[in-house]
Amino acid sequence: MISVQEALQTILNNTQDFGVEEIPFLKSVGRVLKEDILADRDFPPFNRVAMDGIAINHRFFEQGIRDFKVEGVQAAGAKQKTMSIASNCIEVMTGAVLPENTDTVIRYEDVAIENGTATIQLDTLEKGKNIHTKGKDRNQGDVLVVKNTRITAAEIGVIATVGKSTVKVAKTPRIMIVSTGDELVEVNEIPEAHQIRRSNAFTLVALLEELKIKAETAHITDDKEQLKEKIGTYLEEYDALLFSGAVSKGKFDYLPEVLEELGVEKLFHRVAQRPGKPFWYGIRNEKSVFAFPGNPISTYVNCLAYFYPWFAKSSGFELKEETVILGGDVSFKPSLAYFLQVRIEVKYGHLVAIPVKGNGSGDLASLVRADGFIRLPKEQTELKKGETYPFIRYRN
Ligand SMILES: Nc1nc2c(c(=O)[nH]1)N[C@H]1C(S)=C(S)[C@@H](COP(=O)(O)OP(=O)(O)OC[C@H]3O[C@@H](n4cnc5c(N)ncnc54)[C@H](O)[C@@H]3O)O[C@H]1N2
Ligand code: MOO
Ligand SMILES: [Mg+2]
């Protein structure tokens, strides 16, 4: 049986490039930037007044002068003024251009203004104080955001300020999510005693939504002909397919044979892990087919542990791997890697993973009590409180 690392490597060797599209910048949150964002001008673009107050010529202060006649007002949004008499001052507002002929700003708090004269109430004053000088942050042409960054609110501000109303981003793949099984009914249906609702399909839709992928979903019953016919069409119409169920050893677990009959090359079936051992993965015409085991937590963790990295590499961004401190001893005997559900607590500034007790991979409701999974290595059976392990987060 293939290891978690080998399975992941196989999947990462089969990433796809979905191309680039140009979209309105405000629609780009969560998407992967496919161009460098350059400064269209210096940051700030002019000597920017950083405090409300007065602007003077520092040399007069140096000469011991404290009273300055107010010559005018420089507001933010007004063209740069020139102070005509060098020993005067101009009232200046935060965000305004520093008036020509001035070099230092004094806050209103340090000035008394009476009868048109400002008296500076400071003993010392640094030249250039309270001025955010032109180009101090970045210069025109500097790269502000590098290609392949996943866009957050921080990037949106930068994109907006350089005047890019549209941006190039990685296209998202067309994905079909298929649930399988005769026991499954729709969300708006009342299941009979032997039935359940097809929740995994929607968990997957939501997990992909987090990646800004708008996936479609369908359901196929445990009927080999139906499976073959519908999946045959999906293989033509979509970039990748995600399945939940029908990959284990049951009489109606037709998926592996159906996929192979349709010409999907099996790259592995079964991974040395729990949950999610019967995971099947294959490709046809470079298109990936992820067939996740049907137990809800198996589907869930496999999507996070394999589909997410596949999508990240396909789109060109890196998923950051976190590590957390195990908050309690764990014993796990089988020779399998173990994705342990944990809740995160912050203790003394460290992320501590508290194991969440559940009833195995069928215990769908236990997912809401956890924040993610820690990946425990196959070789170890006794895991000790205080050790650190990689963490796959699904809740912030
Ligand atoms: N003899 C063996 N039996 C099983 C093994 C094994 O190694 N030998 N592996 C077990 C493990 S581990 C898992 S995981 C499951 C995987 O089963 P399948 O992928 O074949 O999935 P199904 O049989 O279709 O369903 C399993 C379980 O999951 C529920 N399910 C399926 N789809 C959905 C959905 N969309 N929403 C909610 N729940 C779903 C289904 O009702 C079943 O309860 O096999 C074990 N058996
Ligand atoms: O390993 Mo299965 O994926 O536990 O239910
Ligand atoms: Mg089965």
Side-chain angles (χ1 to χ4, degrees), residues 255-329:
L255 209 46
E257 55 186 279
V258 165
L259 289 169
E260 287 189 61
E261 282 170 29
L262 285 167
V264 184
E265 181 195 350
K266 177 181 88 178
L267 296 188
F268 61 78
H269 188 189
R270 294 190 182 86
V271 182
Q273 61 178 12
R274 181 173 295 164
K277 189 166 98 179
F279 177 23
W280 190 103
Y281 174 77
I283 51 163
R284 192 180 89 161
N285 300 334
E286 291 170 21
K287 293 181 177 181
S288 282
V289 177
F290 297 82
F292 300 135
N295 274 332
I297 299 185
S298 303
T299 293
Y300 197 83
V301 75
N302 274 318
C303 182
L304 290 167
Y306 299 100
F307 178 80
Y308 267 47
W310 175 85
F311 173 72
K313 191 172 170 220
S314 294
S315 313
F317 74 94
E318 245 178 88
L319 279 177
K320 289 204 179 104
E321 188 163 272
E322 287 180 270
T323 49
V324 292
I325 301 168
L326 191 56
D329 293 346

Side-chain angles (χ1 to χ4, degrees), residues 34-199:
K34 282 292 164 190
E35 60 180 321
D36 287 337
I37 301 294
L38 306 183
D40 62 329
R41 55 213 287 236
D42 289 344
F43 275 45
F46 48 82
N47 288 328
R48 188 183 72 95
V49 172
M51 288 282 182
D52 303 315
I54 59 165
I56 63 159
N57 235 297
H58 189 263
R59 73 188 138 98
F60 293 98
F61 182 90
E62 234 170 32
Q63 288 164 18
I65 293 165
R66 294 294 176 269
D67 296 337
F68 294 80
K69 191 168 176 285
V70 179
E71 199 184 287
V73 176
Q74 175 84 58
K79 277 197 181 146
Q80 187 187 34
K81 291 193 169 171
T82 301
M83 194 159 73
S84 55
I85 299 169
S87 58
N88 279 352
C89 72
I90 289 187
E91 288 187 70
V92 290
M93 306 303 136
T94 305
V97 185
L98 184 73
E100 184 81 53
N101 233 349
T102 70
D103 57 21
T104 303
V105 170
I106 304 102
R107 310 180 304 165
Y108 276 132
E109 290 88 325
D110 299 324
V111 171
I113 300 180
E114 227 173 300
N115 301 325
T117 298
T119 306
I120 300 174
Q121 297 164 326
L122 292 172
D123 299 327
T124 57
L125 175 64
E126 203 185 309
K127 187 178 175 187
K129 188 96 180 137
N130 297 324
I131 297 163
H132 189 187
T133 50
K134 180 176 189 286
K136 181 163 194 219
D137 303 343
R138 298 287 185 275
N139 291 123
Q140 183 177 19
D142 280 357
V143 176
L144 303 178
V145 188
V146 290
K147 183 176 164 176
N148 289 332
T149 300
R150 243 177 127 197
I151 298 168
T152 70
E155 283 75 32
I156 290 291
V158 172
I159 291 167
T161 209
V162 301
K164 280 192 70 71
S165 56
T166 60
V167 276
K168 293 196 176 89
V169 295
K171 268 193 196 162
T172 52
R174 289 163 303 164
I175 288 188
M176 175 55 103
I177 291 168
V178 185
S179 58
T180 56
D182 287 352
E183 75 281 26
L184 303 177
V185 301
E186 288 300 332
V187 174
N188 57 6
E189 288 181 82
I190 308 290
E192 301 212 23
H194 53 280
Q195 296 176 321
I196 59 167
R197 297 190 179 92
R198 50 185 283 261
S199 58

